[in-house]
Amino acid sequence: MDVHAETIAAAILDPAPRSSIYVGEDNIQSLTSSLACTPTNRPQWYFSRMYPRFSVEYVWRDNLNALRDAFRALIMAVGWICALSVNAGWAESPASITPSYSERAAFGIQTLQEWYVHNSGLYQKPTDWWNSANAITVLVDYSRSTHNNQYLGVVANTFSNANKAYGTVNFINDSNDDEGWWAVAWIDAWDLTKTPAYLTMAQTIFKDMTTQWDTTTCGGGVWWSKDLKNSPYKNAITNELFLEIAASLANRETDPKREAEYLIWARKEWRWFRDSGMINASNMINDGLNATNPKACINNHGTTWTYNQGVILGGLVELAKADSDSTLLSKAQTIADAAMTHLVTADGVLKEPPGKGPDLPQFKGIFMRNLVRLNKAAPSGRYKAFAAINADSIWRNDQGANHQFGEHWEGPMDSADGTRQTAALDALIAAGEMQ
């Protein structure tokens, strides 16, 4: 095959071509058959499954020259792929042809957005308020990792409309962890876009969270809920988010005085969290504290959810940077290694401890997202391999129709919704970023 034909073929196979060629799927099948490629071989599947833009029912009849050129290029491309399939010994089964992690994430993002409600800027139930914040974080992370700005308009739309739809102001509600997720999302969005309003919003949310710091129970820490009559609880996730946000703002603040204030909060939170007892003897983080004796709170031995092992990684990475303290990275690695040892299947796939509720499917993705951040600060081949194992298992064992992903990454696929999809996308994006 000549160089010119190979160049045309490469252009057609580009995931984001500058122009589209519209041909029917039947035409592709006849072309592959005429070139001695069976319908189950790579060319037929590659064009009609991976690149559905080629599978439409019409062509422009008033531009025959362009049509002929398109078919000529397509024939050369199919021939090129057929030749490669023979030389490389590709398997006959379409299931054996695996796209890159970025391509897998692209398919999954398209499916995620089918649950997005433009008017509200949120996602359809059972994906709730805080889950939508995580979905926005996934869109930002995908945009950053693929250098694709396609979904930044969605991020802006959520920023404009979600408060009104949910009945909040500045993404603040009665659940301190909920608003913390939105602060994390807007810091992430600011990092990519440098839109001032995003960072300002995160600062506003954090200011509200500081009002929830209390020293009368357990000697410090932020309450899980503002409703202390019904939910007087100090838990891991809320305080991990508080740590991450405080340290993140310290790293992004340009005013020295305000930077110092954020750093004071981050240091205070970490000292309290470290000494609270929530990190157990196995270097795993339990759900929260038992405050039966408010002057001497103890670990409640609650479930070691995967996201409790995850957010702390991001928080320690940010604090290590703000405080120039590499020992914090070592602590983060210890916690990450413990989770990768105790919260996995026999095949090394991340698995949530037993539990119920619509929020659980979100947790594993949060761990993977923060493992990426730890790996950037302290690279490890083990983290890279772990991300690949999970992404590959999701693709092989936990995928339904239209690139929908379920809760159990080891399989089988259970059901689909925006929460499950977001978590799986965290894993796919993580694998792509660590390659």
Side-chain angles (χ1 to χ4, degrees):
M1 185 174 186
D2 62 33
V3 175
H4 177 64
E6 186 171 338
T7 300
I8 294 173
I12 290 176
L13 292 176
D14 190 288
R18 289 179 173 80
S19 60
S20 297
I21 298 173
Y22 296 90
V23 299
E25 186 172 335
D26 291 342
N27 294 323
I28 297 172
Q29 184 166 350
S30 65
L31 285 170
T32 58
S33 298
S34 69
L35 290 166
C37 292
T38 64
T40 59
N41 206 344
R42 183 179 179 106
Q44 163 66 11
W45 176 80
Y46 201 87
F47 280 104
S48 63
R49 172 75 181 275
M50 285 190 63
Y51 292 88
R53 63 171 67 85
F54 287 96
S55 302
V56 296
E57 299 298 326
Y58 63 88
V59 297
W60 287 320
R61 296 183 180 179
D62 59 347
N63 198 338
L64 295 180
N65 288 332
L67 178 60
R68 276 193 291 269
D69 290 343
F71 271 98
R72 190 176 297 116
L74 183 60
I75 289 170
M76 287 188 287
V78 172
W80 177 59
I81 298 171
C82 286
L84 287 177
S85 69
V86 173
N87 294 334
W90 282 333
E92 292 291 311
S93 170
S96 67
I97 312 303
T98 306
S100 70
Y101 294 125
S102 294
E103 288 173 327
R104 296 183 225 181
F107 297 138
I109 288 281
Q110 291 173 8
T111 300
L112 172 65
Q113 291 311 104
E114 293 177 6
W115 288 294
Y116 185 71
V117 181
H118 184 81
N119 288 342
S120 68
L122 302 172
Y123 288 79
Q124 296 174 18
K125 297 291 185 181
T127 302
D128 209 341
W129 176 242
W130 79 275
N131 308 107
S132 288
N134 278 273
I136 293 302
T137 302
V138 161
L139 293 184
V140 173
D141 289 349
Y142 170 79
S143 300
R144 179 186 298 108
S145 66
T146 61
H147 308 287
N148 183 338
N149 295 332
Q150 176 182 356
Y151 298 103
L152 295 186
V154 176
V155 176
N157 181 70
T158 293
F159 187 79
S160 298
N161 294 327
N163 275 306
K164 181 178 180 181
Y166 200 71
T168 56
V169 176
N170 295 326
F171 297 89
I172 293 170
N173 65 350
D174 286 342
S175 297
N176 295 314
D177 57 339
D178 282 8
E179 62 189 69
W181 292 114
W182 284 108
V184 168
W186 298 130
I187 291 170
D188 200 30
W190 181 85
D191 284 346
L192 180 62
T193 67
K194 294 300 184 285
T195 301
Y198 294 158
L199 190 61
T200 299
M201 183 61 72
Q203 293 167 334
T204 300
I205 294 169
F206 180 73
K207 183 178 180 180
D208 180 75
M209 293 181 74
T210 63
T211 67
Q212 299 301 298
W213 183 273
D214 163 76
T215 58
T216 61
T217 300
C218 305
V222 176
W223 293 107
W224 173 47
S225 170
K226 294 181 176 71
D227 182 7
L228 297 181
K229 181 178 180 180
N230 296 305
S231 304
Y233 184 40
K234 290 187 177 177
N235 65 346
I237 197 60
T238 309
N239 284 280
E240 291 177 32
L241 287 166
F242 188 90
L243 169 63
E244 180 181 358
I245 298 162
S248 296
L249 292 176
N251 284 325
R252 289 154 181 81
E253 180 57 61
T254 58
D255 179 80
K257 181 179 178 182
R258 294 181 65 181
E259 176 188 354
E261 291 171 353
Y262 289 131
L263 185 54
I264 288 170
W265 275 117
R267 288 169 174 164
K268 181 188 294 188
E269 173 62 70
W270 171 239
R271 285 195 299 268
W272 175 82
F273 191 94
R274 180 194 61 200
D275 298 337
S276 69
M278 281 188 281
I279 305 176
N280 64 33
S282 299
N283 292 305
M284 301 281 284
I285 300 175
N286 293 95
D287 189 69
L289 296 173
N290 181 328
T292 301
N293 179 354
K295 299 299 182 182
C297 298
I298 58 174
N299 187 317
N300 67 3
H301 304 292
T303 306
T304 53
W305 305 116
T306 55
Y307 77 156
N308 281 336
Q309 323 312 313
V311 174
I312 192 66
L313 306 182
L316 289 175
V317 166
E318 290 287 350
L319 182 55
K321 179 180 178 181
D323 228 3
S324 299
D325 184 356
S326 62
T327 65
L328 297 174
L329 296 180
S330 297
K331 184 62 178 179
Q333 289 175 315
T334 299
I335 294 170
D337 290 346
M340 292 164 55
T341 299
H342 297 292
L343 299 177
V344 295
T345 68
D347 295 324
V349 178
L350 192 63
K351 186 174 179 64
E352 201 66 47
K356 297 180 180 180
D359 289 339
L360 265 65
Q362 189 81 70
F363 294 172
K364 297 191 298 294
I366 293 165
F367 178 84
M368 297 304 301
R369 182 197 312 156
N370 284 281
L371 189 65
V372 171
R373 293 168 183 174
L374 176 58
N375 189 66
K376 288 179 179 178
S380 168
R382 186 186 182 194
Y383 302 157
K384 177 180 177 179
F386 186 75
I389 287 170
N390 280 273
D392 291 343
S393 184
I394 290 168
W395 191 256
R396 287 194 307 264
N397 305 316
D398 191 32
Q399 182 177 175
N402 192 31
H403 306 297
Q404 294 178 343
F405 306 119
E407 176 180 1
H408 307 292
W409 293 355
E410 73 277 15
M413 165 79 176
D414 58 347
S415 60
D417 54 53
T419 302
R420 287 167 166 78
Q421 195 77 5
T422 299
L425 282 165
D426 272 317
L428 294 176
I429 294 168
E433 288 207 34
M434 290 195 203
Q435 294 305 301

